[in-house]
Amino acid sequence: MKVKSAKNTVSFFVILFVLSILLNCQNHNASKTLVGRANPDKQNDLKEILKDNRLVILVENSTTSYFIYKGQKMGFEYEILNEFAKSLGVKLEVNIINDLNNVINELNEGYGDILACNFTVTKDRKKEIDFSEPILRAPQVLVQRLPEGWEHMKKNEIEKHLIRDPIQLSRKTIHVWNKSSYYDRLINLQHEMGDTFIIAPLDGNLIAEEAVEMVSKGIIDYTVVDKNVAIINQRYNKNVDTKMLLSFEQQIAFAVRKESPLLRKKLNSWLKEFKQTTKFKYIKHKYYDLSEYTDKSQSEYSSIKGGKISGFDNIIKNASKKRGWDWRLVASIIYQESKFTLENESWAGAYGLMQFMPSVGPIYGVYPDSPPEVQIEGGLKKLSYNYKQWASIKDSIQRIKFTIATYNAGMGHVLDAQKLAEKYGKDPHKWDDNVEIYMRYLSDPKYYKDPLVKFGYIRGNETFNYTRAVYARYLEYKKLFKEYV
């Protein structure tokens, strides 16, 4: 976040320390509410989602659920729900779950509208939440490590070292998340066998994919996952075996609050039709059959493995740190502007990573052929200038949003929206649900012809969506990528 400089070095660092604490507290809350619902206690159903123009989903950072690759949002469940959001005519926002122990509570508390994290339908879960039509059916499988030197063994030799009957699990230790359907299945399996094995609980912040990797690396010996997760993870954990079935096929579905019956009804009717389409079959084929897509989740530019957002990360970090900005916010703006494409040029003539217009770029020393360092430095100069223009906005998060909107639309149009907000009884110092509303209205003659409006018509809906998308992505980046290493 932007911090004003001070002449006195000691005072500067004292101020910086205090502000960093305050901003961290504010941003922690923002990651819980603003990336989800502004009113998390309010139980939104379909009507509220349509009115708010956004559908918020709770996801985990995994190949089956959701991940980021070179700034692009991917994941089997994410892509399905993105199509659903399109069918509703609303924007899709993501709220990333860091601890699976809290997923049901976070859904019921309103931090998202739909839960999408490879969730198995169980009787106990149905007491607390409602499930959609299943998107997949998959049995649970035992994940075990192949013997040392398996690459040079014959198939029958390898088989001698592997468990192929549940009875062989006696006295073994199996690690699974203790609130998962896997844990419940193992308890039932013990009763069925009349024998005992040790069920060792894993933390809720470890996803199934990480448990598979732990088996592969020899950290643990056994875990249990759904077959669909096993299929993907065997591609890059070649030394694990997942042939041992531990259950019949179980339903994997999305979840909604019990207070959202209209959303569930709409989602179910849409899923029934969508699952018959070539689009659904392609999405499923892409993640479960084509390694070129799942391999992206293991790339250095993946939120799951690599920790890099783009090839320009070091430049963004250095330039942002010098000017006191969070590099992940700057990266979010660059992705929104150009998707990290250096030679990108818009239909209106905007160019480069940060999409300067020909009339504006030279003011900040940026030209179409400028190297990335110059383009990013120029963009940060403009952001810093726009930030200073909003000194009247005391709330740091709202000030950032006014800055983002100004970067997109220009100061004049945002001032027009601010004047209209005040005229119609809204808070002119708050972007969320106040000034942003009148930004949208600036494409309506009733509003852009108002005598208060000095800069006239603008496609305000673009700025409305731009600001929401940039800030929501920034909060996602904050959860997935470290500030500085």
Side-chain angles (χ1 to χ4, degrees):
M1 293 298 180
K2 195 76 179 78
V3 181
K4 289 185 176 180
S5 60
K7 292 181 180 179
N8 185 287
T9 304
V10 175
S11 299
F12 171 78
F13 282 110
V14 171
I15 292 169
L16 183 62
F17 175 72
V18 173
L19 282 177
S20 68
I21 294 173
L22 291 172
L23 289 176
N24 282 339
C25 292
Q26 287 175 318
N27 288 334
H28 172 73
N29 292 332
S31 69
K32 292 287 285 181
T33 58
L34 295 175
V35 78
R37 291 287 167 200
N39 259 325
D41 294 329
K42 184 179 178 183
Q43 301 303 311
N44 292 280
D45 200 354
L46 184 61
K47 181 180 177 182
E48 289 75 26
I49 290 166
L50 294 174
K51 183 179 179 181
D52 196 35
N53 193 41
R54 60 175 171 164
L55 175 71
V56 182
I57 60 174
L58 292 164
V59 298
E60 64 178 2
N61 184 34
S62 70
T63 312
T64 52
S65 179
Y66 169 84
F67 66 98
I68 294 173
Y69 171 72
K70 291 188 175 179
Q72 181 183 357
K73 299 179 180 184
M74 301 185 73
F76 174 65
E77 291 178 303
Y78 169 80
E79 290 208 26
I80 293 172
L81 289 175
N82 194 38
E83 294 299 320
F84 177 57
K86 288 178 185 177
S87 76
L88 296 177
V90 301
K91 298 293 181 181
L92 186 67
E93 286 190 11
V94 169
N95 195 351
I96 298 159
I97 299 161
N98 289 328
D99 188 346
L100 292 172
N101 289 323
N102 298 325
V103 290
I104 292 178
N105 287 338
E106 292 205 1
L107 178 65
N108 283 332
E109 288 171 10
Y111 293 112
D113 305 309
I114 298 176
L115 176 60
C117 57
N118 201 66
F119 227 40
T120 304
V121 180
T122 69
K123 286 184 179 180
D124 286 340
R125 288 172 176 171
K126 288 172 77 172
K127 294 174 184 176
E128 299 183 80
I129 53 179
D130 283 336
F131 285 94
S132 70
E133 285 280 312
I135 54 171
L136 288 174
R137 287 180 170 83
Q140 295 179 7
V141 298
L142 180 72
V143 181
Q144 55 189 316
R145 194 166 49 260
L146 296 175
E148 289 292 332
W150 63 272
E151 305 97 323
H152 310 294
M153 292 182 182
K154 293 181 179 179
K155 186 176 180 180
N156 64 334
E157 291 180 292
I158 294 174
E159 286 294 315
K160 293 176 184 178
H161 293 83
L162 298 175
I163 291 175
R164 289 293 181 244
D165 188 319
I167 295 297
Q168 294 174 274
L169 288 171
S170 178
R171 310 302 172 184
K172 299 290 193 297
T173 299
I174 308 172
H175 288 76
V176 293
W177 172 40
N178 66 343
K179 290 188 178 181
S180 66
S181 57
Y182 315 136
Y183 189 92
D184 295 338
R185 175 59 194 142
L186 290 175
I187 293 292
N188 291 333
L189 186 60
Q190 282 186 328
H191 294 312
E192 293 167 13
M193 288 169 50
D195 203 343
T196 302
F197 45 81
I198 300 168
I199 308 174
L202 291 174
D203 291 337
N205 59 6
L206 285 171
I207 62 173
E209 292 184 10
E210 291 173 310
V212 175
E213 185 177 7
M214 289 169 73
V215 172
S216 176
K217 291 181 175 179
I219 299 170
I220 60 178
D221 291 325
Y222 305 99
T223 191
V224 179
V225 299
D226 293 309
K227 184 66 177 178
N228 63 310
V229 175
I231 289 171
I232 291 175
N233 282 269
Q234 270 193 294
R235 291 180 188 150
Y236 30 85
N237 293 288
K238 302 292 187 184
N239 66 331
V240 299
D241 175 88
T242 60
K243 293 178 182 176
M244 176 69 196
L245 300 182
L246 294 180
S247 76
F248 295 110
E249 286 194 341
Q250 297 182 312
Q251 295 181 345
I252 296 169
F254 301 126
V256 299
R257 287 182 296 277
K258 289 186 176 294
E259 294 83 4
S260 301
L262 297 178
L263 174 61
R264 179 173 179 264
K265 183 178 180 181
K266 184 70 173 178
L267 177 59
N268 279 343
S269 62
W270 178 84
L271 277 173
K272 285 179 182 177
E273 292 184 10
F274 184 68
K275 287 192 296 182
Q276 305 305 313
T277 64
T278 54
K279 182 74 174 181
F280 173 79
K281 292 171 185 175
Y282 172 69
I283 293 172
K284 186 177 178 182
H285 175 63
K286 183 163 74 170
Y287 287 98
Y288 292 107
D289 299 321
L290 301 179
S291 60
E292 64 181 282
Y293 286 95
T294 51
D295 286 352
K296 290 178 179 179
S297 68
Q298 305 301 301
S299 160
E300 63 177 327
Y301 295 108
S302 159
S303 61
I304 298 175
K305 282 288 179 185
K308 291 183 179 180
I309 298 176
S310 76
F312 303 106
D313 282 8
N314 287 337
I315 299 172
I316 299 169
K317 287 177 183 179
N318 292 334
S320 299
K321 197 169 188 178
K322 184 170 70 174
R323 292 187 172 271
W325 286 82
D326 189 319
W327 78 277
R328 296 163 297 187
L329 175 60
V330 178
S332 179
I333 292 170
I334 295 174
Y335 181 82
Q336 189 71 26
E337 291 288 351
S338 65
K339 292 182 171 56
F340 303 113
T341 304
L342 188 61
E343 300 82 11
N344 192 49
E345 184 173 336
S346 75
W347 62 271
Y351 55 80
L353 291 170
M354 303 198 75
Q355 288 292 280
F356 277 106
M357 291 296 291
S359 60
V360 178
I363 297 172
Y364 298 96
V366 180
Y367 299 87
D369 59 350
S370 295
E373 293 87 349
V374 173
Q375 293 190 28
I376 292 168
E377 177 65 26
L380 275 158
K381 285 180 184 177
K382 187 178 188 304
L383 282 169
S384 297
Y385 176 71
N386 293 150
Y387 185 85
K388 289 176 182 177
Q389 289 178 301
W390 291 108
S392 61
I393 308 298
K394 302 305 179 185
D395 181 279
S396 62
I397 293 173
Q398 296 305 310
R399 187 173 176 183
I400 285 293
K401 291 184 178 182
F402 274 92
T403 301
I404 295 168
T406 303
Y407 188 89
N408 176 255
M411 185 69 174
H413 290 299
V414 182
L415 282 171
D416 284 343
Q418 191 182 39
K419 291 173 187 175
L420 288 172
E422 187 170 22
K423 175 179 178 177
Y424 288 97
K426 293 289 187 177
D427 186 346
H429 296 97
K430 187 177 180 182
W431 180 261
D432 295 321
D433 299 319
N434 285 269
V435 177
E436 69 170 353
I437 293 172
Y438 292 91
M439 192 76 230
R440 297 181 76 180
Y441 291 169
L442 283 174
S443 60
D444 184 335
K446 175 185 173 181
Y447 295 96
Y448 73 72
K449 290 185 178 181
D450 189 297
L452 285 174
V453 174
K454 303 301 180 185
F455 291 85
Y457 169 87
I458 187 175
R459 291 192 295 272
N461 204 47
E462 289 186 8
T463 303
F464 172 89
N465 289 327
Y466 177 96
T467 306
R468 280 195 170 188
V470 166
Y471 199 79
R473 187 184 302 107
Y474 163 54
L475 293 181
E476 291 173 39
Y477 285 177
K478 283 188 72 176
K479 286 189 174 183
L480 295 173
F481 302 97
K482 294 180 180 179
E483 184 173 8
Y484 292 106
V485 179

